[in-house]
mmCIF file with all atom_site columns, all heavy atoms in Angstrom:
data_model
loop_
_atom_site.group_PDB
_atom_site.id
_atom_site.type_symbol
_atom_site.label_atom_id
_atom_site.label_alt_id
_atom_site.label_comp_id
_atom_site.label_asym_id
_atom_site.label_entity_id
_atom_site.label_seq_id
_atom_site.pdbx_PDB_ins_code
_atom_site.Cartn_x
_atom_site.Cartn_y
_atom_site.Cartn_z
_atom_site.occupancy
_atom_site.B_iso_or_equiv
_atom_site.pdbx_formal_charge
_atom_site.auth_seq_id
_atom_site.auth_comp_id
_atom_site.auth_asym_id
_atom_site.auth_atom_id
_atom_site.pdbx_PDB_model_num
ATOM 1   N N   . SER A 1 1  ? -37.960 114.074 -75.176 1.00 0.00 ? 144 SER A N   1
ATOM 2   C CA  . SER A 1 1  ? -37.602 112.729 -75.631 1.00 0.00 ? 144 SER A CA  1
ATOM 3   C C   . SER A 1 1  ? -38.775 112.048 -76.348 1.00 0.00 ? 144 SER A C   1
ATOM 4   O O   . SER A 1 1  ? -38.681 110.883 -76.695 1.00 0.00 ? 144 SER A O   1
ATOM 5   C CB  . SER A 1 1  ? -37.115 111.880 -74.458 1.00 0.00 ? 144 SER A CB  1
ATOM 6   O OG  . SER A 1 1  ? -38.136 111.755 -73.489 1.00 0.00 ? 144 SER A OG  1
ATOM 7   N N   . ASN A 1 2  ? -39.858 112.806 -76.547 1.00 0.00 ? 145 ASN A N   1
ATOM 8   C CA  . ASN A 1 2  ? -41.030 112.338 -77.288 1.00 0.00 ? 145 ASN A CA  1
ATOM 9   C C   . ASN A 1 2  ? -41.631 111.077 -76.650 1.00 0.00 ? 145 ASN A C   1
ATOM 10  O O   . ASN A 1 2  ? -42.024 110.153 -77.345 1.00 0.00 ? 145 ASN A O   1
ATOM 11  C CB  . ASN A 1 2  ? -40.672 112.108 -78.763 1.00 0.00 ? 145 ASN A CB  1
ATOM 12  C CG  . ASN A 1 2  ? -41.815 112.481 -79.686 1.00 0.00 ? 145 ASN A CG  1
ATOM 13  O OD1 . ASN A 1 2  ? -42.789 113.102 -79.278 1.00 0.00 ? 145 ASN A OD1 1
ATOM 14  N ND2 . ASN A 1 2  ? -41.701 112.103 -80.938 1.00 0.00 ? 145 ASN A ND2 1
ATOM 15  N N   . GLN A 1 3  ? -41.716 111.092 -75.333 1.00 0.00 ? 146 GLN A N   1
ATOM 16  C CA  . GLN A 1 3  ? -42.253 109.967 -74.567 1.00 0.00 ? 146 GLN A CA  1
ATOM 17  C C   . GLN A 1 3  ? -43.431 110.426 -73.713 1.00 0.00 ? 146 GLN A C   1
ATOM 18  O O   . GLN A 1 3  ? -43.433 111.549 -73.232 1.00 0.00 ? 146 GLN A O   1
ATOM 19  C CB  . GLN A 1 3  ? -41.207 109.404 -73.601 1.00 0.00 ? 146 GLN A CB  1
ATOM 20  C CG  . GLN A 1 3  ? -39.952 108.877 -74.213 1.00 0.00 ? 146 GLN A CG  1
ATOM 21  C CD  . GLN A 1 3  ? -39.028 108.357 -73.124 1.00 0.00 ? 146 GLN A CD  1
ATOM 22  O OE1 . GLN A 1 3  ? -39.437 107.604 -72.253 1.00 0.00 ? 146 GLN A OE1 1
ATOM 23  N NE2 . GLN A 1 3  ? -37.784 108.789 -73.167 1.00 0.00 ? 146 GLN A NE2 1
ATOM 24  N N   . ARG A 1 4  ? -44.385 109.551 -73.523 1.00 0.00 ? 147 ARG A N   1
ATOM 25  C CA  . ARG A 1 4  ? -45.493 109.764 -72.580 1.00 0.00 ? 147 ARG A CA  1
ATOM 26  C C   . ARG A 1 4  ? -46.012 111.207 -72.646 1.00 0.00 ? 147 ARG A C   1
ATOM 27  O O   . ARG A 1 4  ? -46.035 111.932 -71.655 1.00 0.00 ? 147 ARG A O   1
ATOM 28  C CB  . ARG A 1 4  ? -45.043 109.377 -71.167 1.00 0.00 ? 147 ARG A CB  1
ATOM 29  C CG  . ARG A 1 4  ? -44.644 107.923 -71.117 1.00 0.00 ? 147 ARG A CG  1
ATOM 30  C CD  . ARG A 1 4  ? -43.992 107.382 -69.868 1.00 0.00 ? 147 ARG A CD  1
ATOM 31  N NE  . ARG A 1 4  ? -43.909 108.146 -68.674 1.00 0.00 ? 147 ARG A NE  1
ATOM 32  C CZ  . ARG A 1 4  ? -42.821 108.178 -67.890 1.00 0.00 ? 147 ARG A CZ  1
ATOM 33  N NH1 . ARG A 1 4  ? -41.743 107.491 -68.216 1.00 0.00 ? 147 ARG A NH1 1
ATOM 34  N NH2 . ARG A 1 4  ? -42.834 108.874 -66.781 1.00 0.00 ? 147 ARG A NH2 1
ATOM 35  N N   . LEU A 1 5  ? -46.406 111.600 -73.838 1.00 0.00 ? 148 LEU A N   1
ATOM 36  C CA  . LEU A 1 5  ? -46.772 113.002 -74.084 1.00 0.00 ? 148 LEU A CA  1
ATOM 37  C C   . LEU A 1 5  ? -48.007 113.438 -73.303 1.00 0.00 ? 148 LEU A C   1
ATOM 38  O O   . LEU A 1 5  ? -48.094 114.602 -72.895 1.00 0.00 ? 148 LEU A O   1
ATOM 39  C CB  . LEU A 1 5  ? -46.950 113.250 -75.572 1.00 0.00 ? 148 LEU A CB  1
ATOM 40  C CG  . LEU A 1 5  ? -45.668 113.093 -76.406 1.00 0.00 ? 148 LEU A CG  1
ATOM 41  C CD1 . LEU A 1 5  ? -45.967 113.284 -77.883 1.00 0.00 ? 148 LEU A CD1 1
ATOM 42  C CD2 . LEU A 1 5  ? -44.583 114.050 -75.939 1.00 0.00 ? 148 LEU A CD2 1
ATOM 43  N N   . ASP A 1 6  ? -48.945 112.542 -73.070 1.00 0.00 ? 149 ASP A N   1
ATOM 44  C CA  . ASP A 1 6  ? -50.111 112.917 -72.258 1.00 0.00 ? 149 ASP A CA  1
ATOM 45  C C   . ASP A 1 6  ? -49.688 113.234 -70.826 1.00 0.00 ? 149 ASP A C   1
ATOM 46  O O   . ASP A 1 6  ? -50.168 114.194 -70.225 1.00 0.00 ? 149 ASP A O   1
ATOM 47  C CB  . ASP A 1 6  ? -51.164 111.802 -72.276 1.00 0.00 ? 149 ASP A CB  1
ATOM 48  C CG  . ASP A 1 6  ? -51.841 111.658 -73.628 1.00 0.00 ? 149 ASP A CG  1
ATOM 49  O OD1 . ASP A 1 6  ? -51.808 112.616 -74.432 1.00 0.00 ? 149 ASP A OD1 1
ATOM 50  O OD2 . ASP A 1 6  ? -52.406 110.577 -73.888 1.00 0.00 ? 149 ASP A OD2 1
ATOM 51  N N   . GLU A 1 7  ? -48.788 112.428 -70.297 1.00 0.00 ? 150 GLU A N   1
ATOM 52  C CA  . GLU A 1 7  ? -48.260 112.687 -68.957 1.00 0.00 ? 150 GLU A CA  1
ATOM 53  C C   . GLU A 1 7  ? -47.472 113.990 -68.931 1.00 0.00 ? 150 GLU A C   1
ATOM 54  O O   . GLU A 1 7  ? -47.592 114.789 -67.987 1.00 0.00 ? 150 GLU A O   1
ATOM 55  C CB  . GLU A 1 7  ? -47.383 111.521 -68.508 1.00 0.00 ? 150 GLU A CB  1
ATOM 56  C CG  . GLU A 1 7  ? -46.835 111.673 -67.111 1.00 0.00 ? 150 GLU A CG  1
ATOM 57  C CD  . GLU A 1 7  ? -45.948 110.515 -66.681 1.00 0.00 ? 150 GLU A CD  1
ATOM 58  O OE1 . GLU A 1 7  ? -45.921 109.470 -67.359 1.00 0.00 ? 150 GLU A OE1 1
ATOM 59  O OE2 . GLU A 1 7  ? -45.270 110.668 -65.643 1.00 0.00 ? 150 GLU A OE2 1
ATOM 60  N N   . ALA A 1 8  ? -46.670 114.221 -69.955 1.00 0.00 ? 151 ALA A N   1
ATOM 61  C CA  . ALA A 1 8  ? -45.908 115.466 -70.048 1.00 0.00 ? 151 ALA A CA  1
ATOM 62  C C   . ALA A 1 8  ? -46.853 116.664 -70.039 1.00 0.00 ? 151 ALA A C   1
ATOM 63  O O   . ALA A 1 8  ? -46.616 117.650 -69.337 1.00 0.00 ? 151 ALA A O   1
ATOM 64  C CB  . ALA A 1 8  ? -45.051 115.475 -71.308 1.00 0.00 ? 151 ALA A CB  1
ATOM 65  N N   . PHE A 1 9  ? -47.946 116.560 -70.796 1.00 0.00 ? 152 PHE A N   1
ATOM 66  C CA  . PHE A 1 9  ? -48.932 117.646 -70.850 1.00 0.00 ? 152 PHE A CA  1
ATOM 67  C C   . PHE A 1 9  ? -49.524 117.900 -69.467 1.00 0.00 ? 152 PHE A C   1
ATOM 68  O O   . PHE A 1 9  ? -49.648 119.049 -69.034 1.00 0.00 ? 152 PHE A O   1
ATOM 69  C CB  . PHE A 1 9  ? -50.039 117.315 -71.862 1.00 0.00 ? 152 PHE A CB  1
ATOM 70  C CG  . PHE A 1 9  ? -51.080 118.381 -71.966 1.00 0.00 ? 152 PHE A CG  1
ATOM 71  C CD1 . PHE A 1 9  ? -50.888 119.473 -72.793 1.00 0.00 ? 152 PHE A CD1 1
ATOM 72  C CD2 . PHE A 1 9  ? -52.251 118.300 -71.229 1.00 0.00 ? 152 PHE A CD2 1
ATOM 73  C CE1 . PHE A 1 9  ? -51.844 120.477 -72.881 1.00 0.00 ? 152 PHE A CE1 1
ATOM 74  C CE2 . PHE A 1 9  ? -53.221 119.291 -71.308 1.00 0.00 ? 152 PHE A CE2 1
ATOM 75  C CZ  . PHE A 1 9  ? -53.015 120.381 -72.141 1.00 0.00 ? 152 PHE A CZ  1
ATOM 76  N N   . THR A 1 10 ? -49.880 116.832 -68.758 1.00 0.00 ? 153 THR A N   1
ATOM 77  C CA  . THR A 1 10 ? -50.464 116.969 -67.418 1.00 0.00 ? 153 THR A CA  1
ATOM 78  C C   . THR A 1 10 ? -49.482 117.635 -66.464 1.00 0.00 ? 153 THR A C   1
ATOM 79  O O   . THR A 1 10 ? -49.852 118.545 -65.711 1.00 0.00 ? 153 THR A O   1
ATOM 80  C CB  . THR A 1 10 ? -50.887 115.588 -66.884 1.00 0.00 ? 153 THR A CB  1
ATOM 81  O OG1 . THR A 1 10 ? -51.876 115.036 -67.771 1.00 0.00 ? 153 THR A OG1 1
ATOM 82  C CG2 . THR A 1 10 ? -51.467 115.684 -65.484 1.00 0.00 ? 153 THR A CG2 1
ATOM 83  N N   . LEU A 1 11 ? -48.236 117.193 -66.487 1.00 0.00 ? 154 LEU A N   1
ATOM 84  C CA  . LEU A 1 11 ? -47.216 117.768 -65.604 1.00 0.00 ? 154 LEU A CA  1
ATOM 85  C C   . LEU A 1 11 ? -46.986 119.247 -65.886 1.00 0.00 ? 154 LEU A C   1
ATOM 86  O O   . LEU A 1 11 ? -46.960 120.074 -64.969 1.00 0.00 ? 154 LEU A O   1
ATOM 87  C CB  . LEU A 1 11 ? -45.905 116.992 -65.760 1.00 0.00 ? 154 LEU A CB  1
ATOM 88  C CG  . LEU A 1 11 ? -45.900 115.561 -65.219 1.00 0.00 ? 154 LEU A CG  1
ATOM 89  C CD1 . LEU A 1 11 ? -44.727 114.780 -65.803 1.00 0.00 ? 154 LEU A CD1 1
ATOM 90  C CD2 . LEU A 1 11 ? -45.842 115.573 -63.691 1.00 0.00 ? 154 LEU A CD2 1
ATOM 91  N N   . VAL A 1 12 ? -46.820 119.583 -67.150 1.00 0.00 ? 155 VAL A N   1
ATOM 92  C CA  . VAL A 1 12 ? -46.537 120.976 -67.505 1.00 0.00 ? 155 VAL A CA  1
ATOM 93  C C   . VAL A 1 12 ? -47.771 121.849 -67.278 1.00 0.00 ? 155 VAL A C   1
ATOM 94  O O   . VAL A 1 12 ? -47.654 122.999 -66.848 1.00 0.00 ? 155 VAL A O   1
ATOM 95  C CB  . VAL A 1 12 ? -45.993 121.085 -68.944 1.00 0.00 ? 155 VAL A CB  1
ATOM 96  C CG1 . VAL A 1 12 ? -45.796 122.536 -69.341 1.00 0.00 ? 155 VAL A CG1 1
ATOM 97  C CG2 . VAL A 1 12 ? -44.674 120.334 -69.071 1.00 0.00 ? 155 VAL A CG2 1
ATOM 98  N N   . SER A 1 13 ? -48.955 121.313 -67.509 1.00 0.00 ? 156 SER A N   1
ATOM 99  C CA  . SER A 1 13 ? -50.187 122.068 -67.228 1.00 0.00 ? 156 SER A CA  1
ATOM 100 C C   . SER A 1 13 ? -50.259 122.448 -65.757 1.00 0.00 ? 156 SER A C   1
ATOM 101 O O   . SER A 1 13 ? -50.607 123.581 -65.411 1.00 0.00 ? 156 SER A O   1
ATOM 102 C CB  . SER A 1 13 ? -51.422 121.254 -67.603 1.00 0.00 ? 156 SER A CB  1
ATOM 103 O OG  . SER A 1 13 ? -51.513 121.090 -68.986 1.00 0.00 ? 156 SER A OG  1
ATOM 104 N N   . ARG A 1 14 ? -49.934 121.503 -64.890 1.00 0.00 ? 157 ARG A N   1
ATOM 105 C CA  . ARG A 1 14 ? -49.948 121.779 -63.446 1.00 0.00 ? 157 ARG A CA  1
ATOM 106 C C   . ARG A 1 14 ? -48.886 122.823 -63.103 1.00 0.00 ? 157 ARG A C   1
ATOM 107 O O   . ARG A 1 14 ? -49.134 123.741 -62.331 1.00 0.00 ? 157 ARG A O   1
ATOM 108 C CB  . ARG A 1 14 ? -49.714 120.485 -62.656 1.00 0.00 ? 157 ARG A CB  1
ATOM 109 C CG  . ARG A 1 14 ? -49.691 120.686 -61.167 1.00 0.00 ? 157 ARG A CG  1
ATOM 110 C CD  . ARG A 1 14 ? -51.049 121.109 -60.611 1.00 0.00 ? 157 ARG A CD  1
ATOM 111 N NE  . ARG A 1 14 ? -50.917 121.352 -59.179 1.00 0.00 ? 157 ARG A NE  1
ATOM 112 C CZ  . ARG A 1 14 ? -51.356 122.449 -58.573 1.00 0.00 ? 157 ARG A CZ  1
ATOM 113 N NH1 . ARG A 1 14 ? -51.999 123.379 -59.247 1.00 0.00 ? 157 ARG A NH1 1
ATOM 114 N NH2 . ARG A 1 14 ? -51.167 122.604 -57.284 1.00 0.00 ? 157 ARG A NH2 1
ATOM 115 N N   . ALA A 1 15 ? -47.718 122.705 -63.679 1.00 0.00 ? 158 ALA A N   1
ATOM 116 C CA  . ALA A 1 15 ? -46.663 123.689 -63.436 1.00 0.00 ? 158 ALA A CA  1
ATOM 117 C C   . ALA A 1 15 ? -47.117 125.076 -63.883 1.00 0.00 ? 158 ALA A C   1
ATOM 118 O O   . ALA A 1 15 ? -46.866 126.073 -63.203 1.00 0.00 ? 158 ALA A O   1
ATOM 119 C CB  . ALA A 1 15 ? -45.383 123.289 -64.162 1.00 0.00 ? 158 ALA A CB  1
ATOM 120 N N   . LEU A 1 16 ? -47.816 125.123 -65.000 1.00 0.00 ? 159 LEU A N   1
ATOM 121 C CA  . LEU A 1 16 ? -48.291 126.397 -65.538 1.00 0.00 ? 159 LEU A CA  1
ATOM 122 C C   . LEU A 1 16 ? -49.358 127.023 -64.635 1.00 0.00 ? 159 LEU A C   1
ATOM 123 O O   . LEU A 1 16 ? -49.418 128.246 -64.486 1.00 0.00 ? 159 LEU A O   1
ATOM 124 C CB  . LEU A 1 16 ? -48.845 126.172 -66.947 1.00 0.00 ? 159 LEU A CB  1
ATOM 125 C CG  . LEU A 1 16 ? -48.831 127.313 -67.930 1.00 0.00 ? 159 LEU A CG  1
ATOM 126 C CD1 . LEU A 1 16 ? -47.481 127.994 -68.000 1.00 0.00 ? 159 LEU A CD1 1
ATOM 127 C CD2 . LEU A 1 16 ? -49.240 126.806 -69.296 1.00 0.00 ? 159 LEU A CD2 1
ATOM 128 N N   . GLU A 1 17 ? -50.187 126.180 -64.004 1.00 0.00 ? 160 GLU A N   1
ATOM 129 C CA  . GLU A 1 17 ? -51.162 126.693 -63.031 1.00 0.00 ? 160 GLU A CA  1
ATOM 130 C C   . GLU A 1 17 ? -50.441 127.361 -61.864 1.00 0.00 ? 160 GLU A C   1
ATOM 131 O O   . GLU A 1 17 ? -50.906 128.376 -61.342 1.00 0.00 ? 160 GLU A O   1
ATOM 132 C CB  . GLU A 1 17 ? -52.025 125.554 -62.484 1.00 0.00 ? 160 GLU A CB  1
ATOM 133 C CG  . GLU A 1 17 ? -53.021 124.989 -63.458 1.00 0.00 ? 160 GLU A CG  1
ATOM 134 C CD  . GLU A 1 17 ? -53.733 123.753 -62.905 1.00 0.00 ? 160 GLU A CD  1
ATOM 135 O OE1 . GLU A 1 17 ? -53.611 123.465 -61.682 1.00 0.00 ? 160 GLU A OE1 1
ATOM 136 O OE2 . GLU A 1 17 ? -54.400 123.063 -63.697 1.00 0.00 ? 160 GLU A OE2 1
ATOM 137 N N   . LEU A 1 18 ? -49.333 126.777 -61.455 1.00 0.00 ? 161 LEU A N   1
ATOM 138 C CA  . LEU A 1 18 ? -48.578 127.286 -60.310 1.00 0.00 ? 161 LEU A CA  1
ATOM 139 C C   . LEU A 1 18 ? -47.723 128.501 -60.651 1.00 0.00 ? 161 LEU A C   1
ATOM 140 O O   . LEU A 1 18 ? -47.474 129.343 -59.793 1.00 0.00 ? 161 LEU A O   1
ATOM 141 C CB  . LEU A 1 18 ? -47.687 126.170 -59.748 1.00 0.00 ? 161 LEU A CB  1
ATOM 142 C CG  . LEU A 1 18 ? -48.438 124.963 -59.186 1.00 0.00 ? 161 LEU A CG  1
ATOM 143 C CD1 . LEU A 1 18 ? -47.487 123.782 -58.992 1.00 0.00 ? 161 LEU A CD1 1
ATOM 144 C CD2 . LEU A 1 18 ? -49.124 125.327 -57.874 1.00 0.00 ? 161 LEU A CD2 1
ATOM 145 N N   . ALA A 1 19 ? -47.258 128.578 -61.883 1.00 0.00 ? 162 ALA A N   1
ATOM 146 C CA  . ALA A 1 19 ? -46.363 129.674 -62.300 1.00 0.00 ? 162 ALA A CA  1
ATOM 147 C C   . ALA A 1 19 ? -46.714 130.089 -63.729 1.00 0.00 ? 162 ALA A C   1
ATOM 148 O O   . ALA A 1 19 ? -45.983 129.777 -64.676 1.00 0.00 ? 162 ALA A O   1
ATOM 149 C CB  . ALA A 1 19 ? -44.915 129.237 -62.190 1.00 0.00 ? 162 ALA A CB  1
ATOM 150 N N   . PRO A 1 20 ? -47.849 130.779 -63.906 1.00 0.00 ? 163 PRO A N   1
ATOM 151 C CA  . PRO A 1 20 ? -48.356 131.067 -65.260 1.00 0.00 ? 163 PRO A CA  1
ATOM 152 C C   . PRO A 1 20 ? -47.503 132.012 -66.102 1.00 0.00 ? 163 PRO A C   1
ATOM 153 O O   . PRO A 1 20 ? -47.660 132.040 -67.322 1.00 0.00 ? 163 PRO A O   1
ATOM 154 C CB  . PRO A 1 20 ? -49.733 131.670 -64.995 1.00 0.00 ? 163 PRO A CB  1
ATOM 155 C CG  . PRO A 1 20 ? -49.693 132.163 -63.597 1.00 0.00 ? 163 PRO A CG  1
ATOM 156 C CD  . PRO A 1 20 ? -48.732 131.289 -62.860 1.00 0.00 ? 163 PRO A CD  1
ATOM 157 N N   . ASP A 1 21 ? -46.594 132.742 -65.493 1.00 0.00 ? 164 ASP A N   1
ATOM 158 C CA  . ASP A 1 21 ? -45.776 133.687 -66.245 1.00 0.00 ? 164 ASP A CA  1
ATOM 159 C C   . ASP A 1 21 ? -44.322 133.254 -66.361 1.00 0.00 ? 164 ASP A C   1
ATOM 160 O O   . ASP A 1 21 ? -43.454 134.069 -66.701 1.00 0.00 ? 164 ASP A O   1
ATOM 161 C CB  . ASP A 1 21 ? -45.859 135.080 -65.607 1.00 0.00 ? 164 ASP A CB  1
ATOM 162 C CG  . ASP A 1 21 ? -47.261 135.654 -65.695 1.00 0.00 ? 164 ASP A CG  1
ATOM 163 O OD1 . ASP A 1 21 ? -47.924 135.456 -66.732 1.00 0.00 ? 164 ASP A OD1 1
ATOM 164 O OD2 . ASP A 1 21 ? -47.710 136.286 -64.717 1.00 0.00 ? 164 ASP A OD2 1
ATOM 165 N N   . SER A 1 22 ? -44.061 131.994 -66.106 1.00 0.00 ? 165 SER A N   1
ATOM 166 C CA  . SER A 1 22 ? -42.687 131.490 -66.207 1.00 0.00 ? 165 SER A CA  1
ATOM 167 C C   . SER A 1 22 ? -42.340 131.220 -67.664 1.00 0.00 ? 165 SER A C   1
ATOM 168 O O   . SER A 1 22 ? -42.966 130.362 -68.303 1.00 0.00 ? 165 SER A O   1
ATOM 169 C CB  . SER A 1 22 ? -42.547 130.193 -65.404 1.00 0.00 ? 165 SER A CB  1
ATOM 170 O OG  . SER A 1 22 ? -41.350 129.524 -65.763 1.00 0.00 ? 165 SER A OG  1
ATOM 171 N N   . PRO A 1 23 ? -41.338 131.911 -68.202 1.00 0.00 ? 166 PRO A N   1
ATOM 172 C CA  . PRO A 1 23 ? -40.944 131.644 -69.585 1.00 0.00 ? 166 PRO A CA  1
ATOM 173 C C   . PRO A 1 23 ? -40.545 130.182 -69.815 1.00 0.00 ? 166 PRO A C   1
ATOM 174 O O   . PRO A 1 23 ? -40.878 129.603 -70.850 1.00 0.00 ? 166 PRO A O   1
ATOM 175 C CB  . PRO A 1 23 ? -39.757 132.579 -69.824 1.00 0.00 ? 166 PRO A CB  1
ATOM 176 C CG  . PRO A 1 23 ? -39.877 133.639 -68.792 1.00 0.00 ? 166 PRO A CG  1
ATOM 177 C CD  . PRO A 1 23 ? -40.550 132.999 -67.614 1.00 0.00 ? 166 PRO A CD  1
ATOM 178 N N   . ALA A 1 24 ? -39.857 129.590 -68.846 1.00 0.00 ? 167 ALA A N   1
ATOM 179 C CA  . ALA A 1 24 ? -39.426 128.194 -69.006 1.00 0.00 ? 167 ALA A CA  1
ATOM 180 C C   . ALA A 1 24 ? -40.624 127.254 -69.095 1.00 0.00 ? 167 ALA A C   1
ATOM 181 O O   . ALA A 1 24 ? -40.633 126.318 -69.903 1.00 0.00 ? 167 ALA A O   1
ATOM 182 C CB  . ALA A 1 24 ? -38.519 127.792 -67.844 1.00 0.00 ? 167 ALA A CB  1
ATOM 183 N N   . ILE A 1 25 ? -41.635 127.494 -68.288 1.00 0.00 ? 168 ILE A N   1
ATOM 184 C CA  . ILE A 1 25 ? -42.810 126.626 -68.294 1.00 0.00 ? 168 ILE A CA  1
ATOM 185 C C   . ILE A 1 25 ? -43.652 126.876 -69.539 1.00 0.00 ? 168 ILE A C   1
ATOM 186 O O   . ILE A 1 25 ? -44.169 125.925 -70.144 1.00 0.00 ? 168 ILE A O   1
ATOM 187 C CB  . ILE A 1 25 ? -43.617 126.775 -66.986 1.00 0.00 ? 168 ILE A CB  1
ATOM 188 C CG1 . ILE A 1 25 ? -42.740 126.343 -65.790 1.00 0.00 ? 168 ILE A CG1 1
ATOM 189 C CG2 . ILE A 1 25 ? -44.895 125.942 -67.034 1.00 0.00 ? 168 ILE A CG2 1
ATOM 190 C CD1 . ILE A 1 25 ? -43.341 126.622 -64.430 1.00 0.00 ? 168 ILE A CD1 1
ATOM 191 N N   . LEU A 1 26 ? -43.775 128.115 -69.953 1.00 0.00 ? 169 LEU A N   1
ATOM 192 C CA  . LEU A 1 26 ? -44.475 128.413 -71.207 1.00 0.00 ? 169 LEU A CA  1
ATOM 193 C C   . LEU A 1 26 ? -43.763 127.732 -72.375 1.00 0.00 ? 169 LEU A C   1
ATOM 194 O O   . LEU A 1 26 ? -44.411 127.175 -73.273 1.00 0.00 ? 169 LEU A O   1
ATOM 195 C CB  . LEU A 1 26 ? -44.554 129.923 -71.434 1.00 0.00 ? 169 LEU A CB  1
ATOM 196 C CG  . LEU A 1 26 ? -45.496 130.681 -70.499 1.00 0.00 ? 169 LEU A CG  1
ATOM 197 C CD1 . LEU A 1 26 ? -45.208 132.183 -70.566 1.00 0.00 ? 169 LEU A CD1 1
ATOM 198 C CD2 . LEU A 1 26 ? -46.944 130.391 -70.837 1.00 0.00 ? 169 LEU A CD2 1
ATOM 199 N N   . ASP A 1 27 ? -42.438 127.767 -72.360 1.00 0.00 ? 170 ASP A N   1
ATOM 200 C CA  . ASP A 1 27 ? -41.653 127.089 -73.388 1.00 0.00 ? 170 ASP A CA  1
ATOM 201 C C   . ASP A 1 27 ? -41.939 125.587 -73.375 1.00 0.00 ? 170 ASP A C   1
ATOM 202 O O   . ASP A 1 27 ? -42.145 124.973 -74.421 1.00 0.00 ? 170 ASP A O   1
ATOM 203 C CB  . ASP A 1 27 ? -40.161 127.348 -73.165 1.00 0.00 ? 170 ASP A CB  1
ATOM 204 C CG  . ASP A 1 27 ? -39.275 126.542 -74.099 1.00 0.00 ? 170 ASP A CG  1
ATOM 205 O OD1 . ASP A 1 27 ? -39.315 126.785 -75.317 1.00 0.00 ? 170 ASP A OD1 1
ATOM 206 O OD2 . ASP A 1 27 ? -38.556 125.653 -73.606 1.00 0.00 ? 170 ASP A OD2 1
ATOM 207 N N   . SER A 1 28 ? -41.963 125.007 -72.194 1.00 0.00 ? 171 SER A N   1
ATOM 208 C CA  . SER A 1 28 ? -42.239 123.573 -72.080 1.00 0.00 ? 171 SER A CA  1
ATOM 209 C C   . SER A 1 28 ? -43.614 123.222 -72.626 1.00 0.00 ? 171 SER A C   1
ATOM 210 O O   . SER A 1 28 ? -43.772 122.218 -73.330 1.00 0.00 ? 171 SER A O   1
ATOM 211 C CB  . SER A 1 28 ? -42.136 123.120 -70.623 1.00 0.00 ? 171 SER A CB  1
ATOM 212 O OG  . SER A 1 28 ? -40.815 123.238 -70.159 1.00 0.00 ? 171 SER A OG  1
#
């Protein structure tokens, strides 16, 4: 939705730390 992109980056970065090989998270 092109909102709060810095927050989105932080959230997805944390998700990626937890699941680095998840295609859905890599896509995000």
Side-chain angles (χ1 to χ4, degrees):
S144 61
N145 216 12
Q146 300 180 49
R147 300 172 9 221
L148 295 177
D149 290 340
E150 182 181 348
F152 180 84
T153 299
L154 291 163
V155 176
S156 292
R157 179 67 183 130
L159 207 49
E160 288 173 12
L161 297 165
D164 295 321
S165 165
I168 298 172
L169 289 165
D170 173 66
S171 294

